[in-house]
Amino acid sequence: MTHQQIDRRQFIKISGLVGGGLMVASALDTAEAMASSTAALAPAADFAPNVFVSIAPSGAVTLVAPNSEMGQGIKTSLPMIIAEELDVKWEQVTVVQGDLNPAYGRQFSVGSGSTVANYMAMRRAGAAARAVLVDAAAQEWKVSTSECTTADGMVMHATSNRKASYGALATKAAQLQPPANLSLKDPSTFKLLGTRIAGVDNRQIVKGVPLFGIDVKLPGMLYATYTKCPVFGGEVGSANLDEVKAKPGVRDAFVLSGVAGLPSGVAVVADSTWNAFSATKALKVQWNEGAQLSQSSADMAAQAVTLAKANGPASLPSGAKAVEAVYHYPFLAHATLEPQNCTAWFKDGVMEMWTPTQIPATGQGLVTKGLGLAAKDVKVHITRLGGGFGRRGSNEFSLEAAAIAKRLAGTPIKLTWTREQDFAHDNYRSNGWHFFSAGLDSAGKVVALNDEFVKIQGGPGDMSATGFPFNAIPGSAVRSSKLRGGIPTGFWRAPGDNGNVWATQCFMDELAHAAGKEPLAFTLDMLATVPASPRFDAGKMTAVLKLATEKANWGKTRPRGEGQGFAICFANSAYVAIVADVAVSKAGELTIKKLTAAVDAGTIVNVSGAEAQVQGSMLDGISAAWFQKVTIERGAAAQTNFNKYPMLRMQHAPPVVDVHFIKSSAPPTGLGEPALPPAAPAVCNAIFAATGKRIRTLPIADESLKWA
């Protein structure tokens, strides 16, 4: 596999059209992104003619990957879908990263929606190319297209024993149009989809080939930082700019303000990243800190209790046994390994940007609005992302880089956030509190379930009583309250579900034990009572739960200090069950011995990529639950580097992370996120089974696990 980054103009030049090659431009259908994590797949909608496939006379096949790649494998899997319908060997394919272009349709790498939204569009792109090639061969041979077949980049006519390569047919095919009605393969005949394919960038990553935004180098480029007030919403009063300008390698230092959408701050521009970072350390700013200075995590916790009590106690049926618990999860940073960055070059009235972004159009929009440029004059090249997890959808770093570049017109500027800036100015996963109350009847059946839910204003993560387990209990209620806003929050991997599933699945385990029932039987009984709904298939959830517990040898007797726990999750239309095996020493040292996952995510495009996503999601989930939190003190984040925000290390990772997929021919669902939410509750429920201790506040590392 080979990789090359080119823009659309270059793509047209190399596509072989002048030399008689074939480029397929057809009206393709695409699906809109999922409206929510529980929405059904949206119907396809037509979009403008696009160029996804190029075949040269040599037989080389070039496929465009339109969406941003951040480790989720989309740069490999979307071209795989095209190649499947095109009927070419994967070894023939070269994948190029598409830049921001409305012609490519949905270029959002968010919400586990890239495959969901593009699956049929990519299939039609491949099928359209295949149909034109078959038509070209049929015309050459003067036979019916129905008599021709394809395989491995060849068109064949069995009756006359003739065959022709796609390259040989490219010149003729370039003169033809795809048919109005395309014939797609029966999924049972897929040869490429459902196999294991290595990521198209793997070799380059291992070799250290520049791929990421932070790798970009341009002639004459300067390097910048942008320092904002540590207190959210604060503004620059004054700064020691002359002192900073005198530092080695510094070319300029100035205050930026008055740019729409850009908080005021101080830009430092130097001849290297090191000199820019070093000079930034010498920066002394008098800040006008603003109203958020009074906010703290401690005050939020007190306010949450007050808000939860304001609604009054939830009613329970007469005679029901009451079970109550309060669960709290903190703010989380994204902590992407590659800090936020963007390279911008303003010349001849055009802003050209190279940026690791999940939603390139958002960055373009911020720049057009903030700097008063036309969209046609803001060009965005999409680089590979060194981690995203939702963080690189907001794109404020693009506006910062562009504003500095416009000030220094004619000079390319690479803006890189320091690690401290990256933590201090994240769009955090929202904090949240769940004040649960439930009622059990004399037979241990749950007859009432209520949740007083409190979170900060803004960002995703709201709760409703439509999902499991609330949909299994008539009369369930969720009442939500909001804390005062001002702390920036945003999309963090598996938005909303990442904290709420932890709380509800842990409380479900509590209810099982309070009812005196075995947790697996208890959950299966509840799933059996869920009303039929197109939004949630209890049968599919039951199937993954049974598969995960079977593969994990659920129910085996274990000594004190060892335990199993499970949790389930429905997110992005995927069904996931996870079983955790843990051991806790008497001194309270936690060891996660094994994670077992079962997943129903529809058609699996790339087995290797799918496994990696589920495994990575689980490890990401337990890393956050075990070690991570962001606390707010005097309106600012208290954790601004990895020394105070630990990540999962090799010695913490379970030696076995087992993944099983339900075989399905249904369209693909989301997969990059759904396995994250149930990992933490599976571990916490296993800790209870091992020690009898409940974890109701995250991170786990803050809680004592010692047992006698």
Side-chain angles (χ1 to χ4, degrees), residues 2 33 129 149 205 241 267 272 283 288 301 362 366 379-380 387 397 405 459 499 507 525 558 597 615 623 627 701 706:
T2 57
T149 59
I205 291 171
L241 298 180
S272 70
L283 185 63
N288 298 321
T362 300
L366 287 173
K379 299 180 179 180
V380 181
F397 43 87
F507 189 58
D525 286 345
R558 288 166 172 78
Q615 291 168 338
S623 179
F627 301 110
K706 293 180 181 180

Side-chain angles (χ1 to χ4, degrees), residues 304-361:
V305 173
T306 300
L307 287 172
K309 290 181 177 179
N311 287 326
S315 60
L316 298 177
S318 177
K321 174 185 176 181
V323 182
E324 297 181 343
V326 179
Y327 283 80
H328 167 58
Y329 53 85
F331 291 109
L332 290 178
H334 291 82
T336 58
L337 187 60
E338 178 191 23
Q340 311 316 306
N341 66 88
C342 176
T343 298
W345 193 354
F346 187 64
K347 56 181 178 178
D348 302 326
V350 174
M351 185 69 70
E352 193 167 6
M353 301 191 297
W354 292 259
T355 179
T357 171
Q358 292 178 242
I359 313 178

